[in-house]
Amino acid sequence: MPSPAIHRLLPWLASLALALPAAASAQPVGATLAVLDFDLIEEHVDPAQAADMRRRILRMEEMLAQGLAERGLYRVVELGDARTRLEELRRQQEHMHRCGACQVEMGRAVGTKYVVAGWVQKVSNLILNINIELREVESDRVVLNKSVDIRGNNDRAWEHGMRFLLRDFAEKRAANPAYGL
C-alpha cells in the first residue's frame, strides 16, 4: 500500500504530466516569424475570377499566420511599417517567393528569426498547389518547404488545403521539436 506522502504527490504528478505535452510543443521566445504576402502563379488568367483569387490569396496569408501562432509553432510578427518596403520589393520582383534576399530583408526589417513566403500555383481550375518556404533570416537558409495539392478552385478547397498543411506541420513538430527551426 502506498505511503500517505505518495498520495499527496499524486495530484502534483498528474498536473505535471498534463503540462508536459504543452511544454514540449512550446517554442523558444526567439522563434519569431514574419508572414509575407502570398504570390499567385497562373498562366491563364481569367479576369472573371480575379477578385475571388485575390480574396483567397489573402485568406491563405491570414490562415497561415493565425494557424502557426495558435498552434504555438512561431510567434508571428506583423509587418507594420515594413509593409511599405515589401510593396516596393513587390514592384521590383514578380514573385516574392523567388527572392530569398527580399525575404531576408523583410525578416531583418521586422526583427524576426524566420520569414515565410507562400504561393499558390494554379495548374487548372481543378488542380492547385499551396506552397510555403520558411527561411532563417540570419543564415539565409531555407529550413522548410511544404506543399499541398488541392482539387477545386473554390473557398472550401483552398481552406481545406491550408488546414491540412497546418495540421501536418504541427504533427511533424510534435514528433520532431526541431522541425521547421
Side-chain angles (χ1 to χ4, degrees), residues 129-148:
N129 318 103
I130 301 171
N131 309 276
I132 62 170
E133 178 180 271
L134 195 118
R135 184 178 300 271
E136 184 179 49
V137 174
E138 185 178 325
S139 67
D140 190 16
R141 176 179 63 98
V142 173
V143 295
L144 182 73
N145 279 303
K146 289 191 77 58
S147 180
V148 63

mmCIF file of all heavy atoms in Angstrom, residues 129-148:
data_model
loop_
_atom_site.group_PDB
_atom_site.id
_atom_site.type_symbol
_atom_site.label_atom_id
_atom_site.label_comp_id
_atom_site.label_asym_id
_atom_site.label_seq_id
_atom_site.Cartn_x
_atom_site.Cartn_y
_atom_site.Cartn_z
ATOM 1 N N ASN A 129 -1.820 24.155 -56.170
ATOM 2 C CA ASN A 129 -0.854 23.814 -55.127
ATOM 3 C C ASN A 129 -0.701 25.007 -54.201
ATOM 4 O O ASN A 129 -0.538 26.125 -54.666
ATOM 5 C CB ASN A 129 0.540 23.498 -55.688
ATOM 6 C CG ASN A 129 0.506 22.651 -56.928
ATOM 7 O OD1 ASN A 129 0.689 23.169 -58.012
ATOM 8 N ND2 ASN A 129 0.284 21.373 -56.774
ATOM 9 N N ILE A 130 -0.725 24.747 -52.903
ATOM 10 C CA ILE A 130 -0.426 25.766 -51.900
ATOM 11 C C ILE A 130 0.963 25.428 -51.366
ATOM 12 O O ILE A 130 1.212 24.295 -50.940
ATOM 13 C CB ILE A 130 -1.454 25.761 -50.757
ATOM 14 C CG1 ILE A 130 -2.866 26.010 -51.293
ATOM 15 C CG2 ILE A 130 -1.071 26.808 -49.707
ATOM 16 C CD1 ILE A 130 -3.961 25.808 -50.248
ATOM 17 N N ASN A 131 1.860 26.404 -51.395
ATOM 18 C CA ASN A 131 3.257 26.180 -51.047
ATOM 19 C C ASN A 131 3.740 27.223 -50.048
ATOM 20 O O ASN A 131 3.336 28.388 -50.125
ATOM 21 C CB ASN A 131 4.145 26.306 -52.294
ATOM 22 C CG ASN A 131 3.643 25.463 -53.442
ATOM 23 O OD1 ASN A 131 3.931 24.291 -53.509
ATOM 24 N ND2 ASN A 131 2.876 26.057 -54.345
ATOM 25 N N ILE A 132 4.639 26.791 -49.162
ATOM 26 C CA ILE A 132 5.323 27.745 -48.293
ATOM 27 C C ILE A 132 6.808 27.398 -48.246
ATOM 28 O O ILE A 132 7.193 26.231 -48.373
ATOM 29 C CB ILE A 132 4.747 27.799 -46.858
ATOM 30 C CG1 ILE A 132 4.892 26.463 -46.132
ATOM 31 C CG2 ILE A 132 3.314 28.292 -46.858
ATOM 32 C CD1 ILE A 132 4.574 26.526 -44.640
ATOM 33 N N GLU A 133 7.614 28.435 -48.110
ATOM 34 C CA GLU A 133 9.049 28.276 -47.923
ATOM 35 C C GLU A 133 9.428 29.098 -46.708
ATOM 36 O O GLU A 133 9.184 30.307 -46.670
ATOM 37 C CB GLU A 133 9.819 28.765 -49.140
ATOM 38 C CG GLU A 133 11.320 28.666 -48.971
ATOM 39 C CD GLU A 133 12.070 29.152 -50.181
ATOM 40 O OE1 GLU A 133 12.320 28.314 -51.078
ATOM 41 O OE2 GLU A 133 12.390 30.357 -50.241
ATOM 42 N N LEU A 134 10.020 28.448 -45.735
ATOM 43 C CA LEU A 134 10.401 29.092 -44.489
ATOM 44 C C LEU A 134 11.915 29.254 -44.472
ATOM 45 O O LEU A 134 12.643 28.295 -44.712
ATOM 46 C CB LEU A 134 9.946 28.230 -43.312
ATOM 47 C CG LEU A 134 9.950 28.942 -41.985
ATOM 48 C CD1 LEU A 134 8.537 28.972 -41.440
ATOM 49 C CD2 LEU A 134 10.857 28.235 -41.039
ATOM 50 N N ARG A 135 12.352 30.480 -44.210
ATOM 51 C CA ARG A 135 13.773 30.808 -44.282
ATOM 52 C C ARG A 135 14.249 31.396 -42.954
ATOM 53 O O ARG A 135 13.556 32.223 -42.373
ATOM 54 C CB ARG A 135 13.976 31.823 -45.400
ATOM 55 C CG ARG A 135 15.380 32.227 -45.688
ATOM 56 C CD ARG A 135 15.423 33.211 -46.862
ATOM 57 N NE ARG A 135 14.891 32.655 -48.076
ATOM 58 C CZ ARG A 135 15.602 31.984 -48.988
ATOM 59 N NH1 ARG A 135 16.894 31.812 -48.814
ATOM 60 N NH2 ARG A 135 15.030 31.518 -50.080
ATOM 61 N N GLU A 136 15.416 30.954 -42.505
ATOM 62 C CA GLU A 136 16.044 31.561 -41.337
ATOM 63 C C GLU A 136 16.726 32.841 -41.807
ATOM 64 O O GLU A 136 17.524 32.823 -42.758
ATOM 65 C CB GLU A 136 17.068 30.608 -40.725
ATOM 66 C CG GLU A 136 17.685 31.142 -39.463
ATOM 67 C CD GLU A 136 18.675 30.164 -38.865
ATOM 68 O OE1 GLU A 136 19.545 29.656 -39.607
ATOM 69 O OE2 GLU A 136 18.582 29.916 -37.654
ATOM 70 N N VAL A 137 16.407 33.945 -41.166
ATOM 71 C CA VAL A 137 16.879 35.251 -41.620
ATOM 72 C C VAL A 137 18.394 35.384 -41.484
ATOM 73 O O VAL A 137 19.074 35.784 -42.433
ATOM 74 C CB VAL A 137 16.140 36.382 -40.870
ATOM 75 C CG1 VAL A 137 16.719 37.736 -41.207
ATOM 76 C CG2 VAL A 137 14.646 36.332 -41.177
ATOM 77 N N GLU A 138 18.946 35.068 -40.333
ATOM 78 C CA GLU A 138 20.378 35.290 -40.078
ATOM 79 C C GLU A 138 21.272 34.529 -41.050
ATOM 80 O O GLU A 138 22.243 35.065 -41.576
ATOM 81 C CB GLU A 138 20.727 34.898 -38.644
ATOM 82 C CG GLU A 138 22.163 35.212 -38.276
ATOM 83 C CD GLU A 138 22.469 34.859 -36.836
ATOM 84 O OE1 GLU A 138 21.587 35.015 -35.973
ATOM 85 O OE2 GLU A 138 23.607 34.433 -36.584
ATOM 86 N N SER A 139 20.948 33.273 -41.321
ATOM 87 C CA SER A 139 21.797 32.438 -42.176
ATOM 88 C C SER A 139 21.350 32.418 -43.636
ATOM 89 O O SER A 139 22.063 31.882 -44.480
ATOM 90 C CB SER A 139 21.810 30.999 -41.646
ATOM 91 O OG SER A 139 20.526 30.417 -41.796
ATOM 92 N N ASP A 140 20.188 32.980 -43.931
ATOM 93 C CA ASP A 140 19.590 32.916 -45.275
ATOM 94 C C ASP A 140 19.451 31.461 -45.722
ATOM 95 O O ASP A 140 19.627 31.121 -46.879
ATOM 96 C CB ASP A 140 20.412 33.724 -46.281
ATOM 97 C CG ASP A 140 19.700 33.877 -47.617
ATOM 98 O OD1 ASP A 140 18.476 33.642 -47.690
ATOM 99 O OD2 ASP A 140 20.376 34.213 -48.618
ATOM 100 N N ARG A 141 19.130 30.603 -44.766
ATOM 101 C CA ARG A 141 18.998 29.166 -45.029
ATOM 102 C C ARG A 141 17.524 28.788 -45.077
ATOM 103 O O ARG A 141 16.753 29.145 -44.180
ATOM 104 C CB ARG A 141 19.701 28.400 -43.907
ATOM 105 C CG ARG A 141 19.576 26.892 -43.957
ATOM 106 C CD ARG A 141 20.337 26.259 -42.795
ATOM 107 N NE ARG A 141 19.808 26.641 -41.499
ATOM 108 C CZ ARG A 141 18.955 25.893 -40.775
ATOM 109 N NH1 ARG A 141 18.566 24.720 -41.214
ATOM 110 N NH2 ARG A 141 18.517 26.308 -39.602
ATOM 111 N N VAL A 142 17.134 28.089 -46.131
ATOM 112 C CA VAL A 142 15.767 27.565 -46.198
ATOM 113 C C VAL A 142 15.690 26.395 -45.232
ATOM 114 O O VAL A 142 16.447 25.434 -45.353
ATOM 115 C CB VAL A 142 15.394 27.133 -47.633
ATOM 116 C CG1 VAL A 142 14.039 26.444 -47.649
ATOM 117 C CG2 VAL A 142 15.406 28.325 -48.575
ATOM 118 N N VAL A 143 14.796 26.502 -44.253
ATOM 119 C CA VAL A 143 14.683 25.453 -43.245
ATOM 120 C C VAL A 143 13.503 24.533 -43.504
ATOM 121 O O VAL A 143 13.429 23.457 -42.913
ATOM 122 C CB VAL A 143 14.609 26.023 -41.814
ATOM 123 C CG1 VAL A 143 15.902 26.728 -41.450
ATOM 124 C CG2 VAL A 143 13.435 26.947 -41.635
ATOM 125 N N LEU A 144 12.598 24.959 -44.381
ATOM 126 C CA LEU A 144 11.424 24.128 -44.617
ATOM 127 C C LEU A 144 10.725 24.533 -45.906
ATOM 128 O O LEU A 144 10.561 25.727 -46.177
ATOM 129 C CB LEU A 144 10.437 24.284 -43.452
ATOM 130 C CG LEU A 144 9.166 23.450 -43.517
ATOM 131 C CD1 LEU A 144 9.480 21.988 -43.240
ATOM 132 C CD2 LEU A 144 8.163 23.954 -42.502
ATOM 133 N N ASN A 145 10.328 23.553 -46.669
ATOM 134 C CA ASN A 145 9.424 23.727 -47.805
ATOM 135 C C ASN A 145 8.256 22.793 -47.576
ATOM 136 O O ASN A 145 8.458 21.625 -47.246
ATOM 137 C CB ASN A 145 10.091 23.350 -49.134
ATOM 138 C CG ASN A 145 10.956 24.448 -49.671
ATOM 139 O OD1 ASN A 145 10.493 25.555 -49.888
ATOM 140 N ND2 ASN A 145 12.235 24.150 -49.880
ATOM 141 N N LYS A 146 7.059 23.302 -47.730
ATOM 142 C CA LYS A 146 5.865 22.470 -47.601
ATOM 143 C C LYS A 146 4.948 22.794 -48.762
ATOM 144 O O LYS A 146 4.877 23.938 -49.210
ATOM 145 C CB LYS A 146 5.115 22.725 -46.294
ATOM 146 C CG LYS A 146 5.843 22.197 -45.071
ATOM 147 C CD LYS A 146 4.996 22.212 -43.825
ATOM 148 C CE LYS A 146 3.985 21.126 -43.741
ATOM 149 N NZ LYS A 146 4.448 19.762 -43.797
ATOM 150 N N SER A 147 4.218 21.792 -49.196
ATOM 151 C CA SER A 147 3.288 21.962 -50.299
ATOM 152 C C SER A 147 2.117 21.015 -50.119
ATOM 153 O O SER A 147 2.276 19.918 -49.587
ATOM 154 C CB SER A 147 3.996 21.655 -51.624
ATOM 155 O OG SER A 147 3.114 21.812 -52.701
ATOM 156 N N VAL A 148 0.974 21.474 -50.544
ATOM 157 C CA VAL A 148 -0.200 20.606 -50.549
ATOM 158 C C VAL A 148 -0.953 20.852 -51.854
ATOM 159 O O VAL A 148 -1.079 21.985 -52.307
ATOM 160 C CB VAL A 148 -1.099 20.859 -49.312
ATOM 161 C CG1 VAL A 148 -1.653 22.263 -49.288
ATOM 162 C CG2 VAL A 148 -2.229 19.850 -49.233
#
